Amino acid sequence: MSSFRHPHYVYIFSMTNGKKKMTYGKSPEDALAVLFLRLTAEEQALVIQDDYIKINQRRMRDYADQLG
């Protein structure tokens, strides 16, 4: 039941190379922290931290072709 009190959302962050990275979290800051756990230092430098969109899981496949 606790997962309903603290929902997680899907965030898509833009990168300087034109691609996007998808991650999840309670807030954009939380999602960015989760994303940085998965990326190398070089990839982290490409993420535009204030350029993101928040979507629900049903819309994930609408963005699949933009991910990299």
Side-chain angles (χ1 to χ4, degrees):
M1 185 89 174
S2 64
S3 65
F4 293 110
R5 287 183 279 174
H6 302 287
H8 285 73
Y9 299 98
V10 176
Y11 292 89
I12 300 176
F13 286 88
S14 295
M15 299 178 69
T16 58
N17 64 3
K19 293 290 187 176
K20 298 184 184 293
K21 291 287 184 183
M22 184 181 297
T23 188
Y24 62 92
K26 297 176 187 175
S27 67
E29 296 79 17
D30 184 45
L32 193 60
V34 171
L35 179 62
F36 278 9
L37 291 173
R38 300 185 340 226
L39 300 179
T40 65
E42 294 82 20
E43 291 172 320
Q44 289 176 15
L46 297 176
V47 176
I48 305 170
Q49 297 184 19
D50 60 348
D51 186 8
Y52 63 87
I53 57 172
K54 178 178 155 181
I55 64 169
N56 62 35
Q57 290 182 343
R58 293 181 184 152
R59 295 189 55 211
M60 285 172 47
R61 69 175 158 243
D62 296 340
Y63 295 91
D65 61 332
Q66 298 175 23
L67 301 175

